[in-house]
Amino acid sequence: MPISIAGKVQSLGLTLPQPSSPAANYVSTTRVGPLLFVAGQIAPAGAQGRLGDQVAVEDGVRAAQAAALNVIAHVAKAAGDDLAKVRQVAKLTVFVASAPDFTQQPLVANGASDLMVAVFGEAGRHARSAVGAAALPRGAAVEVEAIIELAE
């Protein structure tokens, strides 16, 4: 019997949310061959503000984890909730709303990266960019986008 992505997430003490709907004129995911491109996902309301100003690094890490959990919800939908269908988390891009002198974006991005490895194991190890931004949609502290290789 296949292991479900939702079940793996639950075993970590987390709950897989419903995949979010796009906020504008785009789609949440696009599949090109085996690659699934997941549009930027933000954490639920409450994880807002800029790191280095009103948001502490620890809160940013939690926001990155929550945004990554939304990415995983889209992956689960595309993979039929079958953990074995996720061949590789190829790339994460983590955008961090940052004060001008904030330079700890990689520490914040670890919240997303660590969750991918916890859920997908070796297939969760990925290339990554951690990018500081002046502002993110809806005032979010963190936004995560992903490229995932799925079994055909």
Side-chain angles (χ1 to χ4, degrees):
M1 184 163 166
I3 299 171
S4 75
I5 295 170
K8 180 63 179 183
V9 167
Q10 187 174 21
S11 77
L12 298 171
L14 302 169
T15 302
L16 193 64
Q18 289 296 314
S20 61
S21 297
N25 189 19
Y26 62 92
V27 294
S28 298
T29 61
T30 299
R31 186 157 179 184
V32 179
L35 297 180
L36 179 71
F37 294 82
V38 182
Q41 301 294 306
I42 60 176
Q48 297 176 314
R50 291 192 314 174
L51 277 287
D53 276 348
Q54 58 273 68
V55 180
V57 170
E58 300 78 25
D59 294 327
V61 169
R62 284 190 289 277
Q65 181 185 50
L69 198 56
N70 286 333
V71 167
I72 293 169
H74 286 285
V75 173
K77 181 178 178 183
D81 199 27
D82 184 352
L83 191 64
K85 288 189 178 177
V86 178
R87 286 190 177 159
Q88 185 68 52
V89 176
K91 173 86 189 278
L92 291 185
T93 304
V94 181
F95 300 94
V96 180
S98 303
D101 59 348
F102 184 76
T103 60
Q104 295 180 318
Q105 291 86 359
L107 294 177
V108 172
N110 284 342
S113 293
D114 292 347
L115 183 61
M116 292 296 168
V117 174
V119 172
F120 300 112
E122 282 301 308
R125 298 198 181 282
H126 53 271
R128 182 184 82 188
S129 297
V131 181
L136 293 172
R138 299 182 184 168
V142 180
E143 181 176 7
V144 178
E145 68 177 24
I147 303 170
I148 312 290
E149 181 188 11
L150 298 177
E152 300 242 17

